[in-house]
Structure formats: structure tokens, C-alpha cells
Amino acid sequence: MNALIEKLPPQIFESFRCFDRRENRLPARWHQHAEIELTYVPAGSGERLIGDHITRYTDHDLVLVGEHLPHTWASDDFRGEPCDMHEAIVLYFNHDFLGSQFFDIPEAVKIKELLARAKRGLWFPPEFAATIGTKMKSILAQSGMHRIAELLHCLEMLCECEDTVVLASEGYQCGANSRTAPKMSLALQYIAENFTDSQLQVNQLAELAGMNNSAFARSFRNTTGHTATRYINRLRMGFARRLLLEQDLSILNICYQSGFASVSHFNKLFKSEYKMSPREFREAHTLVHDSSRAVLAHDAKA
């Protein structure tokens, strides 16, 4: 059960880790750790799951993940393989790697605020991500104080980006210090792998965690900030939103593929979450997409 709490052994003479994910032969699994993580994917596509947020990722994907925030990237190219060998540059560092009070100094106040916001996961736009990715790659070849200076410069640049997107929901949290954390990790892993199954029941999760229903419900809410049902439905709606944008499927088909057993229930939850029905959501984004294509075509002709 503790396998989902990932620990990378520290390298000798290094205060933080920077590596190409392919070198560690890591599986694409739902995991968490005490370190803050900055991950840059130069090219490729797949699914990214951060807390209770799920979406597709594409080229130049850059995300800052706070301490104990469960996450995973699953690339399309290595789906089903024991290890995800897709290129990704990863920075791992403890909040106090420069001392317990370093980020309290006046010069670092913006970085401190950035790391606080990262507790829900922060996504950065592709053009900006490419610049940060170049700096992250340069750290791979550096040593000594140059590595630390470059990391701090990266963090300072992240503070200046105005187009970040917070990923996990406002109510999401992860109580990693609870004695029930291993049991909750097991339940969260199972949800991540099976949330599109309409037969998934909360009592299954309680049984999997070896707890009675009331104890499981209480522990799950303390761990994530949501009820298990709310958590599962958020993942399903995120998955449905991706299908609405990327697939030419009927609303009914998307409803069932996302794990909902009733289209009326799906419509009600979706409208409550996004302030529009699934059909309205698709139409609104189709109009934006078509308008963008028209502008590009006009510019090309000009």
C-alpha cells in the first residue's frame, strides 16, 4: 500500500534532484511525495491527473506540483507498458532544501506565495513552458552553486507568469500525515484506474481500504476535502469535458463512456459544475475554435 508514496534516493553532493524521467524507468502511476515537483514534457501527448483534475496534455507541458499532491502523467505512446519512457525533465526539491526559513526572506516572498499556490498544482502556457524547459535542461549539465542559482531563477520566472491555471479544485486537499494515508492512497489509486466504470461504488472502496463505510467516508473527506462520490464525479466530468472537445460523439455516448449511468444526472452535475450543459459547452468551444481557424486562414491569405 505504501508503493504510491514515491521516494527517490538523493544523489551525493546534491541538495535537489534534476533528471530526465526516462533514466529512472518510472512507471506511470498515481503517486505523491513530500518534495515539490516541477515537470516539463517537451513533446508528446497523454492524460495528466493532478489531485481531482484530469485533462489531456500536449507539447510543452509544464506543471508545478506541491507537496503530497497526488499526480501522474500517462503518455499515449507508452500506455499499458510497465515503464513510461517518454521524455520529461523533472525537478524535485524539498521546501526547506535551502534552510527552513529561506523562503521567508523578503527577496523570496513571491516564490513562497508561488509554492503555496502549487499545493493545488499550477499549469503554465506552452510558450512560457518552453523557455523554462530550456533552463531545466541546462541544470542537467550543471554542478555546484550554478544549479541552485538556475533553480531559483526558474522559480522567480514562474512567479512572473500571469497565465497560470490552478488545477485541483478549491476544496481539494491531501492529508498525507494521517495514519490512514496508506489506505486512502490505495483507494485513490483504484479510483484513478476505474472512475469511468459506472459500477464503481463507495462501499467497494471502503472494503478495499479495510474500513467500514462511515470510517472510510470520514477518512476520505479528511484526506481529500471531498466526499468519495464528489471526487469520482469531478474526475468523470473532467474526462467528459475532454471527450466533448476532442471526440465527435453523442452526449449520451460521452455520458456512458465517462462512467455516468444516467444522462439526466450527467447533465445536472455538468451544469452545476460548469454553469452550462454539455451541449452548450461543446457549442461554445466549437465557436471559439472555428473563429480562431478563420482568423488564422485570413492571416495566411494576407
Side-chain angles (χ1 to χ4, degrees):
M1 289 188 291
N2 288 310
L4 298 177
I5 300 177
E6 185 174 87
K7 286 182 178 273
L8 287 179
Q11 296 291 308
I12 299 174
F13 307 125
E14 289 185 352
S15 58
F16 69 92
R17 295 288 309 276
C18 183
F19 58 94
D20 185 330
R21 200 173 180 278
R22 293 173 295 185
E23 298 173 3
N24 294 73
R25 301 188 65 82
L26 296 172
R29 64 183 182 187
W30 179 240
H31 66 284
Q32 59 167 292
H33 41 70
E35 296 82 6
I36 297 163
E37 176 182 318
L38 181 64
T39 292
Y40 171 66
V41 180
S45 63
E47 288 184 347
R48 175 178 10 90
L49 184 54
I50 309 288
D52 59 356
H53 180 275
I54 185 170
T55 193
R56 293 284 292 173
Y57 70 86
T58 53
D59 296 353
H60 302 299
D61 190 60
L62 180 69
V63 176
L64 183 64
V65 180
E67 307 104 309
H68 299 296
L69 177 61
H71 58 279
T72 190
W73 276 256
S75 66
D76 293 331
D77 293 341
F78 293 91
R79 196 172 298 276
E81 297 292 327
C83 295
D84 193 329
M85 299 298 290
H86 206 284
E87 181 182 5
I89 308 302
V90 182
L91 276 170
Y92 252 57
F93 61 95
N94 284 302
H95 190 278
D96 60 353
F97 83 108
L98 292 174
S100 60
Q101 297 182 325
F102 179 82
F103 291 115
D104 291 328
I105 65 176
E107 292 85 351
V109 64
K110 288 186 178 181
I111 296 178
K112 183 178 180 179
E113 293 171 356
L114 173 79
L115 300 182
R117 289 191 294 129
K119 290 180 179 179
R120 288 167 54 196
L122 293 175
W123 175 88
F124 299 86
E127 282 191 19
F128 177 81
T131 301
I132 296 295
T134 299
K135 294 185 73 65
M136 291 173 70
K137 288 180 179 179
S138 73
I139 294 176
L140 291 171
Q142 292 176 347
S143 60
M145 292 297 291
H146 294 290
R147 299 175 74 251
I148 293 177
E150 198 75 349
L151 170 58
L152 291 176
H153 192 201
C154 279
L155 293 176
E156 189 171 46
M157 289 177 66
L158 294 178
C159 294
E160 302 303 321
C161 183
E162 298 179 352
D163 299 319
T164 58
V165 176
V166 179
L167 300 179
S169 65
E170 187 172 354
Y172 186 83
Q173 61 190 45
C174 188
N177 295 323
S178 168
R179 63 183 176 84
T180 60
K183 296 179 179 181
M184 290 300 103
S185 290
L186 189 64
L188 289 167
Q189 170 72 9
Y190 190 82
I191 291 171
E193 294 173 351
N194 297 280
F195 69 86
T196 57
D197 180 359
S198 63
Q199 301 302 311
L200 179 62
Q201 300 291 328
V202 175
N203 60 350
Q204 289 177 257
L205 300 171
E207 184 177 350
L208 186 68
M211 306 170 72
N212 63 50
N213 288 350
S214 60
F216 176 80
R218 183 169 56 254
S219 295
F220 194 93
R221 183 159 197 143
N222 288 340
T223 299
T224 67
H226 294 314
T227 65
T229 298
R230 164 73 172 159
Y231 183 88
I232 293 167
N233 282 338
R234 275 192 58 82
L235 291 181
R236 287 173 174 170
M237 284 188 287
F239 186 75
R241 187 170 62 170
R242 176 170 72 79
L243 293 181
L244 286 165
L245 294 175
E246 298 179 3
Q247 302 291 328
D248 188 22
L249 301 171
S250 69
I251 302 298
L252 182 64
N253 200 333
I254 288 174
C255 164
Y256 293 147
Q257 284 200 31
S258 302
F260 293 99
S262 162
V263 70
S264 60
H265 182 56
F266 169 53
N267 283 324
K268 180 180 178 181
L269 286 177
F270 196 96
K271 193 163 189 176
S272 175
E273 186 72 22
Y274 302 116
K275 311 305 179 189
M276 62 180 74
S277 69
R279 191 175 304 280
E280 290 168 339
F281 178 85
R282 171 181 270 171
E283 289 174 353
H285 285 79
T286 299
L287 285 172
V288 170
H289 179 68
D290 288 348
S291 297
S292 298
R293 289 182 64 183
V295 170
L296 289 173
H298 178 269
D299 290 346
K301 290 179 180 179

